[in-house]
Amino acid sequence: MSATRHAAATHHAAAGAAASDAVSRPAVIGHADTRRTVTPAATMTTLASPTQGGAAQPVWRVDMGPNASGPAHAIDAQQVWTVLDGGATVEIDGGVVAISAGDTLIIPANARRRITAHDSGLSAIVVAPAGMRAYAPSVDVSPTCAVPDGDKLVPAWTV
């Protein structure tokens, strides 16, 4: 390709990329660039999100200490949890499920859940749609953990 055609093609590609959303371009988020949000029950590490790499689906890591337990709450979108290490007992809509390293749990939208880490703690990767919102009428949430959105909350690690 001639230098002129290459320059024109590069300019056209750059203009098209600027006009499209960030998802159409590759992005690498280095470990040092991940975002951490510490909640009373766990540390959430944002690996990718709409504001972190332009991801259409937020991806985050959850690390819970031994026997730590999150509040009972619901999310208005499906979540997929893959356990990397340790395990947990998950109460979902009145039922109980045990998960351990290597397991993947799909939690339906609007299912009330409460996650309690086992004695060994829990490390998991979670994926959910951008814009998901949590709700739990009886839980006070720090503004560093979530942003109000009507009667629900947008978790800080998903934006």
Side-chain angles (χ1 to χ4, degrees):
M1 179 183 290
S2 73
T4 304
R5 274 186 64 196
H6 179 70
T10 302
H11 173 73
H12 179 69
S20 66
D21 61 20
V23 179
S24 65
R25 295 185 308 268
V28 174
I29 297 116
H31 178 71
D33 296 324
T34 60
R35 239 180 14 236
R36 287 186 176 67
T37 304
V38 178
T39 73
T43 297
M44 310 300 191
T45 303
T46 306
L47 303 172
S49 70
T51 62
Q52 184 136 328
Q57 292 86 23
V59 178
W60 66 96
R61 180 180 171 128
V62 176
D63 289 293
M64 298 177 77
N67 304 308
S69 187
H73 66 289
I75 302 288
D76 65 3
Q78 180 187 77
Q79 289 184 328
V80 178
W81 288 63
T82 297
V83 180
L84 302 174
D85 197 31
T89 299
V90 185
E91 299 169 41
I92 302 175
D93 282 342
V96 177
V97 176
I99 54 176
S100 59
D103 292 344
T104 296
L105 172 65
I106 300 169
I107 302 176
N110 300 307
R112 189 161 179 85
R113 83 280 307 270
R114 181 181 182 118
I115 299 168
T116 302
H118 290 167
D119 292 342
S120 57
L122 171 72
S123 293
I125 297 291
V126 185
V127 178
M132 67 166 232
R133 298 175 306 153
Y135 55 101
S138 63
V139 177
D140 289 327
V141 178
S142 163
T144 62
C145 292
V147 177
D149 183 18
D151 62 342
K152 296 181 181 176
L153 300 164
V154 177
W157 49 92
T158 66
V159 296

